């Protein structure tokens, strides 16, 4: 019994990794914190963080980005938590645990979530300087610090974790090698041929791979820090030299604490548990990678989450789930290569039949293993193309009957492939998100309860908030359930074009279509509408960059683009000249003042470091533009779905904290991207140091100077739903920074939906930020040169639309308040307030008219 004076029984959780944290979440969700006083002990200095996405720490994410909690969840629910606090002893008789600091804590129920530790092969020299494991944030800090000083890095271990570690070293700029003892890469998940295809793909990306290679010892190198000597059983190199060695040769269950407490432990490690995750002591539970269940150890997070739920259910004596094993299928992107493994990937089931498709040109390998009678999918291997993974996984998990020709499931479409399994065919019990055990039925219930979008379903069910691999499938299920409820889900632009925006973009580009009527004749019907006409107008401008008021295009523009100015509530217009980076000469500033004074315009300095002039009538626009152009101004395109502003601080030119010339970079960026039409407005910022005076991290494109170059942030925004930008790349030189921005912007223009902000666009990409990095940095789609060339076309064909309009007499004719007269619009009435004008209200207008009469 509990020997403390507290009324509540004591529940102690040892381990605050992902699984330990999930146990606490489940306990809170089931009101267990009201029954127990809960204490959580973690060895690391941080609270739980996302170890699945640990590699993103190398690509810019910080501790807070990876954190699963900031402690507020624990505090709010009365959970006591202790970081940097290691439990060293369990006394099962008096029922207490002892910390390394000698603190004794009693328990009524104890949960061990001690996880695993990296296995380091017993190779002589494995403890030399510059040798690391890949497990914690502290490990990554040490690796990163070392990588900054060396050139060559090697990973010992070519399994799932080893290849992820290799990707991390490559992202750190090291020339990277992988050494694997087995004859192939990823021997657990892939068959021999799949491993060979993966090896070829990874080597094409510049990573050297040694398979069937045993490292005998590690000694001093002649050119590098280390020399790794290999056994002579292969005919390849006898050694390699490297500066940094990273051991990622598998994991071992962290069961030492359980052993000393006398709990049953497997012969090869792992704390033995039953289906409720109870150990050999009825008051002690174990969950996660430290567990041995039915002779199996599970090294993925999803089984650990299911164990956490089973343990909570048993502790609270509810009718919750028990743990009966877990699917170990995986879908990954390793070093930019798609890899998928499902069920019996090696085809070991007696009588199993195997179908294989291998495309050596495209680097695609697909294999399915089916039952002897051909009706059930037993396993699959996918390398180079995971497009069929979700469908195959559902066939496997739900024992869905296979089509008569199962091979069609992995054949390319041109070869008579069987269509992928539709989500409508899935039963309610189908697992959509294996990390958090969210079924199709859970998603259907959330939609029926009012969740009308993927985001709302994520909030309600937590689906796709783990590894994120189910994002595409989740969207399909949500769309399907909305359709069942009678909510129309259509990707068509409108009734006149049965295409998505991206489809239309490709039709315009590939068909070299330059006018709306031509597009309508070839691919549409009717006359167009207020949806498709401005959309097509924007895409034509994005692709060909012709003058938007050119006769074939003018009818496509909405009011603001039609008059190259923003219409205001009283029918007047605002004029916003470009002031690149917010830098302006006194002479130009005087001209703005003179124009504003002459035409009695309301004058406002904006948050984007521009000066807006409000209250110009339609007929005044060309005249005012002429004066501004004469003074050296050009249109700021504040009226368009285009690049608006590039905000900047003064940077190293003036500021004592500045480390780079942010003003020059801001001006160069604005002058490069001005004129780019896009699905939504775009805002940029450049800060000269990490003090961030330009607020770059709230912009679509944000740039921050560092001692090593420029950090690039992407897809943030202000507005009704503010979103912090994500760190995309670090310490870039000027040329690489511009190259990445070129590619990001043109990929956005090419693939985003109508009126979709960059933040929503990126979140809707399957794979999100990581996928965007692969497209832009690794050029995984082979689009890099095309995107850069398209941006060069936009830059080379830029024109000031105000100036072009003034040079076209026919275009100028449109700037008359009345078609058949040159009279002014007498309905426009201003009131003076704070020494400037503003539009009169309806009541003020009535009073003025009455007074005049």
């Amino acid at each position: 019994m509990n020997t403390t004076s507290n009324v509540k029984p004591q529940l102690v959780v040892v381990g605050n990794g992902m699984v330990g944290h999930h146990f606490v979440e489940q306990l809170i969700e089931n009101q267990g914190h009201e029954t127990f006083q809960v204490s959580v002990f973690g060895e690391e200095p941080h609270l739980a963080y996302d170890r699945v996405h640990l590699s993103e720490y190398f690509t810019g994410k910080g501790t807070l980005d990876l954190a699963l909690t900031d402690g507020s969840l624990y505090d709010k629910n009365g959970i006591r938590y202790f970081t940097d606090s290691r439990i060293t002893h369990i006394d099962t008789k008096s029922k207490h645990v002892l910390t390394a600091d000698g603190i004794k804590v009693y328990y009524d129920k104890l949960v061990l979530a001690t996880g695993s530790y990296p296995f380091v092969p017993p190779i002589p020299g494995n403890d030399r300087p510059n040798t690391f494991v890949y497990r914690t944030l502290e490990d990554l800090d040490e690796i990163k610090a070392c990588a900054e000083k060396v050139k060559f890095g090697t990973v010992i271990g070519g399994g799932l974790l080893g290849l992820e570690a290799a990707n991390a070293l490559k992202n750190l700029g090291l020339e990277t090698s992988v050494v694997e003892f087995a004859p192939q890469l990823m021997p657990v998940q892939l068959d021999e041929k799949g491993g060979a295809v993966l090896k070829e793909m990874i080597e094409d990306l510049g990573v050297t791979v040694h398979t069937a290679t045993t490292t005998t010892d590690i000694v001093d190198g002649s050119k590098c820090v280390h020399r790794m000597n290999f056994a002579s059983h292969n005919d390849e190199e006898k050694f390699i030299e490297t500066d940094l060695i990273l051991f990622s040769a598998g994991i071992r269950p962290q069961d030492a604490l359980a052993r000393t407490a006398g709990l049953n432990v497997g012969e090869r490690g792992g704390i033995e548990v039953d289906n409720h995750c109870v150990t050999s002591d009825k008051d002690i539970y174990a969950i996660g990678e430290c567990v041995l269940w039915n002779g199996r150890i599970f090294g993925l997070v999803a089984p650990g989450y299911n164990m956490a739920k089973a343990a909570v259910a048993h502790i609270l004596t509810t009718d919750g789930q028990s743990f009966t094993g877990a699917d170990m299928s995986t879908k990954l992107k390793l070093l930019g290569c798609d890899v998928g493994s499902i069920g019996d990937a090696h085809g070991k089931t007696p009588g199993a039949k195997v179908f294989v498709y291998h495309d050596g040109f495209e680097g695609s390998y697909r294999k399915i293993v089916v039952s002897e009678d051909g009706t059930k999918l037993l396993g699959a291997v996918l390398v180079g193309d995971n497009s069929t993974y979700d469908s195959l996984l559902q066939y496997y998990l739900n024992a869905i009957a296979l089509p008569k020709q199962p091979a069609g499931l992995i054949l390319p479409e041109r070869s008579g492939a069987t269509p992928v399994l539709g989500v409508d065919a899935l039963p309610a019990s189908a697992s959509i998100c294996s990390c958090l055990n969210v079924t199709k039925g859970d998603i259907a219930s959330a939609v029926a309860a009012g969740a009308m979008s993927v985001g709302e379903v994520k909030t309600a069910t937590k689906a796709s908030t783990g590894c994120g691999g189910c994002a595409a499938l989740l969207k399909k299920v949500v769309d399907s359930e909305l359709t069942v409820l009678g909510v129309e889900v259509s990707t068509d632009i409108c009734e006149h074009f049965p295409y998505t925006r991206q489809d239309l973009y490709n039709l315009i580009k590939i068909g070299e279509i330059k006018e709306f009527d031509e597009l309508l004749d070839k691919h549409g019907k009717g006359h167009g509408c207020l949806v498709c006409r401005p959309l097509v107008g924007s895409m034509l401008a994005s692709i060909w960059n012709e003058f938007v008021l050119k006769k074939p295009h003018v009818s496509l523009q909405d009011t603001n683009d039609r008059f190259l100015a923003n219409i205001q509530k009283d029918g007047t217009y605002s004029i916003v000249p470009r002031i690149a980076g917010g830098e302006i000469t006194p002479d130009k500033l005087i001209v703005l003042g003179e124009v504003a004074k002459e035409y009695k315009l309301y004058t406002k300095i904006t948050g984007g470091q521009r000066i807006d002039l409000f209250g110009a009538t339609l007929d005044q626009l060309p005249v005012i533009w002429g004066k501004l152009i004469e003074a050296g101004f050009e249109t700021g395109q504040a009226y368009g779905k285009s690049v608006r502003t590039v905000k900047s601080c003064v940077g190293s030119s003036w500021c004592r904290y500045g480390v780079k010339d942010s003003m020059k970079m801001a001006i160069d960026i604005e002058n490069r991207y001005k004129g780019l039409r896009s699905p939504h407005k775009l805002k940029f910022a450049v800060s000269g140091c990490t003090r961030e005076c330009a607020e770059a991290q709230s912009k679509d494109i944000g740039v921050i100077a560092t001692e090593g170059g420029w950090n690039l942030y992407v897809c943030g925004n202000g507005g009704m739903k503010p979103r912090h930008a994500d760190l995309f790349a670090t310490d870039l030189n000027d040329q690489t920074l511009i190259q990445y921005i070129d590619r990001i912007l043109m990929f956005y223009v090419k693939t985003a939906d109508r009126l979709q902000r960059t933040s929503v666009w990126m979140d809707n990409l399957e794979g999100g930020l990581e996928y965007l990095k692969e497209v832009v940095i690794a050029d995984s789609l082979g689009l890099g040169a095309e995107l850069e060339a398209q941006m060069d076309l936009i830059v080379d064909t830029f024109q000031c639309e105000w100036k072009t309009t003034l040079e076209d007499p026919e275009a100028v004719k449109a700037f008359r308040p009345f078609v058949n007269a040159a009279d002014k619009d007498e309905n426009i009435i201003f009131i003076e307030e704070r020494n400037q004008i503003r539009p009169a209200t309806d009541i003020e207008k009535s009073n003025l008219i009455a007074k005049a009469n």
Side-chain angles (χ1 to χ4, degrees):
M1 290 295 294
N2 173 23
T3 59
T4 68
S5 59
N6 290 349
V7 175
K8 289 182 178 180
Q10 302 294 304
L11 193 159
V12 173
V13 182
V14 180
N16 190 228
M18 296 181 73
V19 173
H21 174 66
H22 192 68
F23 173 86
V24 175
E25 286 185 316
Q26 291 300 306
L27 194 73
I28 292 170
E29 190 172 310
N30 290 277
Q31 288 76 51
H33 62 296
E34 297 178 0
T35 303
F36 289 91
Q37 172 60 61
V38 184
S39 301
V40 181
F41 292 87
E43 284 189 2
E44 295 188 53
H46 318 280
L47 280 171
Y49 55 88
D50 184 354
R51 210 183 300 273
V52 172
H53 296 101
L54 193 61
S55 293
E56 295 177 17
Y57 191 67
F58 285 137
T59 57
K61 284 200 172 180
T63 304
L64 293 178
D65 298 308
L66 293 173
L68 297 175
T69 178
D70 58 3
S72 58
L73 176 71
Y74 292 9
D75 292 333
K76 183 171 64 176
N77 293 285
I79 309 292
R80 297 186 302 185
Y81 57 92
F82 305 86
T83 56
D84 211 4
S85 186
R86 185 166 60 92
I87 300 296
T88 57
H89 179 70
I90 302 172
D91 189 319
T92 58
K93 291 183 179 179
S94 63
K95 299 182 70 171
H96 73 260
V97 297
L98 196 66
T99 71
D101 298 329
I103 300 173
K104 185 182 293 186
V105 181
Y106 287 90
Y107 68 84
D108 293 287
K109 297 291 183 183
L110 176 65
V111 178
L112 300 179
T114 49
S116 61
Y117 64 90
F119 171 65
V120 178
I123 302 169
N126 64 8
D127 56 352
R128 288 167 52 85
N130 289 16
T131 58
F132 307 93
V133 294
Y134 190 79
R135 187 65 177 166
T136 68
L137 288 172
E138 285 66 41
D139 293 334
L140 269 61
D141 283 332
E142 292 178 2
I143 294 167
K144 188 174 183 180
C146 180
E148 292 173 353
K149 306 170 186 175
V150 300
K151 184 177 180 181
F152 297 94
T154 299
V155 177
I156 294 183
L160 188 157
L161 295 177
L163 294 182
E164 188 170 334
N167 188 49
L169 294 187
K170 191 170 185 291
N171 285 337
L172 288 172
L174 300 186
E175 294 187 28
T176 304
S177 300
V178 174
V179 176
E180 168 58 42
F181 171 77
Q184 66 178 79
L185 294 175
M186 295 185 66
V188 175
Q189 291 85 9
L190 303 182
D191 62 0
E192 183 179 353
K193 185 61 179 178
V197 173
L198 180 61
K199 177 185 176 183
E200 184 178 340
M201 294 173 67
I202 288 176
E203 287 183 327
D204 286 344
L205 294 171
V207 175
T208 303
V209 179
H210 304 268
T211 53
T213 301
T214 302
T215 304
T216 57
D217 61 352
I218 305 169
V219 297
D220 287 339
S222 59
K223 298 179 181 179
C224 297
V225 175
H226 308 292
R227 170 174 163 152
M228 297 172 59
N229 292 315
F230 299 150
S232 59
H233 65 265
N234 64 53
D235 296 327
E236 298 180 0
E237 297 173 87
K238 304 304 179 186
F239 68 89
I240 61 170
E241 294 205 359
T242 188
D243 298 306
L244 180 157
I245 297 176
L246 204 167
F247 293 101
S248 188
I251 58 173
R252 298 292 185 269
Q254 190 69 271
D255 56 16
L257 194 59
R259 287 179 185 272
T260 60
L263 301 181
N264 290 350
V265 175
E267 184 178 345
R268 300 184 64 183
I271 308 168
E272 294 183 352
V273 299
D274 63 13
N275 289 1
H276 302 293
C277 295
V278 180
T279 67
S280 54
D281 184 313
K282 65 180 179 63
D283 291 320
I284 301 179
Y285 296 74
I287 56 178
E289 293 175 342
C290 63
V291 162
L292 181 70
W293 176 88
N294 273 12
R296 295 185 65 189
I297 292 172
F298 299 90
L300 299 178
V301 70
Y305 282 178
N306 289 337
M307 291 179 196
K309 290 180 180 179
V312 167
H314 194 258
I315 289 171
L316 299 181
T317 62
T318 65
D319 294 328
Q321 69 183 67
S322 57
F323 182 75
T324 56
D327 172 49
M328 297 296 283
S329 301
T330 52
K331 179 172 72 170
L332 310 158
K333 189 173 283 288
L334 298 167
L335 290 154
C337 305
D338 281 342
V339 179
S341 175
I342 296 172
D344 180 14
H346 294 276
K348 294 182 178 180
T349 304
K353 306 296 183 183
V354 174
F355 298 88
V356 173
Y357 171 78
H358 179 207
D359 186 335
F361 287 101
E362 294 186 2
S364 175
Y365 174 78
R366 306 171 198 168
K367 170 180 129 178
I368 56 172
V369 180
V370 305
S371 59
E372 189 170 10
D373 61 4
T375 62
K376 296 292 184 290
L377 183 72
L378 303 178
V381 173
L382 302 169
V383 179
D385 179 7
N386 269 341
S387 60
T388 59
Y389 178 89
D390 290 338
S391 182
L392 293 174
L393 181 63
Q394 295 305 323
Y395 273 111
Y396 168 70
L397 290 178
N398 298 288
I400 296 172
L402 292 172
K404 290 183 178 180
Q405 299 295 329
L409 293 171
I410 56 173
L411 292 174
E413 290 185 14
R414 61 181 179 272
S415 301
T418 302
V420 296
L421 183 69
V423 293
D424 293 341
L426 300 178
S429 59
S431 176
I432 304 302
C433 174
S434 58
C435 286
L436 292 141
N437 197 30
V438 181
T439 66
K440 179 185 175 185
D442 296 330
I443 295 167
S445 297
V447 171
M452 293 289 109
S453 68
V454 171
E456 291 176 359
V457 169
K458 282 185 176 182
T459 300
T461 66
K462 301 291 182 68
S464 197
T465 59
C467 73
C470 62
L473 181 60
L474 174 64
K475 186 179 188 309
K476 292 176 183 176
V477 175
V478 172
D479 287 349
S480 174
E481 294 302 324
L482 288 172
T483 301
V484 168
L485 291 181
V487 178
E488 183 177 356
V489 179
S490 173
T491 59
D492 293 353
I493 289 300
C494 65
E495 62 186 271
H496 305 106
F497 289 101
Y499 301 100
T500 65
R501 181 191 176 278
Q502 186 173 355
D503 290 337
L504 273 186
Y505 182 97
N506 292 331
L507 289 171
I508 293 170
K509 185 79 183 296
I510 295 170
E512 297 187 357
I513 296 172
K514 296 191 175 182
E515 295 183 10
F516 178 82
D517 288 345
E518 181 184 358
L519 181 67
L520 195 66
D521 289 342
K522 291 183 176 180
H523 303 290
K525 62 182 179 180
H527 302 287
C529 63
L530 294 176
V531 172
C532 63
R533 295 181 73 86
L535 172 66
V536 172
S538 174
M539 287 193 290
L540 290 172
S542 298
I543 298 170
W544 310 120
N545 210 25
E546 293 182 341
F547 179 40
V548 294
L549 299 188
K550 186 178 177 181
K551 190 171 182 180
H553 308 318
V554 67
S555 65
L556 307 179
Q557 313 307 322
D558 62 21
T559 302
N560 289 346
D561 283 290
R562 174 67 182 81
F563 297 113
L564 308 179
N566 287 326
I567 191 169
Q568 303 303 315
K569 61 187 290 185
D570 64 339
T572 61
Y573 295 84
S574 64
I575 297 170
V576 187
R578 186 173 303 283
I579 303 176
E583 181 180 85
I584 188 168
T585 64
D587 286 341
K588 285 189 174 182
L589 197 58
I590 289 169
V591 169
L592 288 177
E594 289 175 341
V595 168
K597 188 174 183 179
E598 179 179 355
Y599 293 93
K600 297 181 180 179
L601 305 176
Y602 173 80
T603 308
K604 170 114 178 32
I605 298 175
T606 73
Q609 298 177 333
R610 287 186 173 181
I611 296 175
D612 286 9
L613 307 176
F614 291 80
T617 55
L618 187 64
D619 59 298
Q620 290 174 338
L621 291 177
V623 183
I624 295 173
W625 294 342
K627 291 179 180 290
L628 295 179
I629 289 168
E630 186 178 355
F633 288 103
E634 63 187 18
T635 174
Q637 287 190 303
Y639 45 81
K641 295 291 187 289
S642 56
V643 175
R644 296 287 183 89
T645 61
V646 182
K647 190 174 181 179
S648 177
C649 62
V650 294
S652 58
S653 300
W654 291 90
C655 180
R656 59 196 174 111
Y657 298 108
V659 296
K660 289 184 78 67
D661 189 351
S662 55
M663 276 305 309
K664 181 180 185 303
M665 179 55 73
I667 292 169
D668 288 348
I669 285 177
E670 184 154 356
N671 284 330
R672 179 167 181 78
Y673 300 116
K674 63 187 180 183
L676 174 66
R677 299 279 174 156
S678 56
H680 208 288
K681 62 186 176 184
L682 296 168
K683 295 185 178 182
F684 296 17
V686 183
S687 286
C689 73
T690 55
R691 294 168 71 89
E692 250 286 72
C693 293
E695 302 169 334
Q697 295 178 70
S698 64
K699 302 294 189 289
D700 297 279
I701 297 291
V703 180
I704 301 177
T706 69
E707 294 289 351
W710 302 100
N711 284 359
L712 174 59
Y713 288 80
V714 299
C715 301
N717 62 256
M720 293 179 65
K721 294 183 178 180
R723 185 190 189 279
H724 199 280
D726 287 322
L727 182 60
F728 185 81
T730 60
D731 296 335
L732 303 176
N733 59 34
D734 292 6
Q735 181 180 0
T736 306
L737 174 68
I738 296 301
Q739 180 189 53
Y740 285 179
I741 297 175
D742 279 0
R743 292 182 177 186
I744 291 165
L745 291 178
M746 290 314 306
F747 190 56
Y748 164 61
V749 168
K750 178 181 175 69
T751 63
D753 287 337
R754 169 179 171 266
L755 301 178
Q756 189 176 53
R757 296 208 73 155
T758 57
S759 56
V760 180
W761 164 70
M762 186 180 74
D763 286 342
N764 284 353
L765 292 175
E766 184 178 359
L769 177 66
E770 288 308 308
Y771 174 72
L772 185 59
K773 287 180 182 179
E774 289 156 11
V775 171
V776 171
I777 299 174
D779 196 14
S780 60
L781 300 180
L783 290 174
E786 177 188 332
L787 298 174
E788 291 169 32
Q790 183 65 28
M791 183 60 76
D792 286 339
L793 172 67
I794 299 297
V795 173
D796 293 342
T797 55
F798 170 77
Q799 57 189 306
C800 171
E801 290 165 346
W802 287 350
K803 187 173 185 294
T804 304
T805 301
L806 295 179
E807 293 170 350
D808 184 345
E810 287 300 313
V812 173
K813 286 181 180 179
F815 292 86
R816 292 181 296 175
F818 303 104
V819 175
N820 58 351
D823 299 337
K824 295 184 180 298
D825 188 347
E826 299 299 335
N827 290 314
I828 297 175
I829 301 174
F830 298 115
I831 297 293
E832 187 169 312
E833 186 174 83
R834 296 189 300 278
N835 297 318
Q836 293 211 77
I837 63 166
R838 67 163 172 81
T841 65
D842 290 340
I843 294 176
E844 287 169 337
K845 284 182 182 180
S846 299
N847 290 339
L848 288 171
I849 293 171
K851 187 175 181 180
N853 293 334

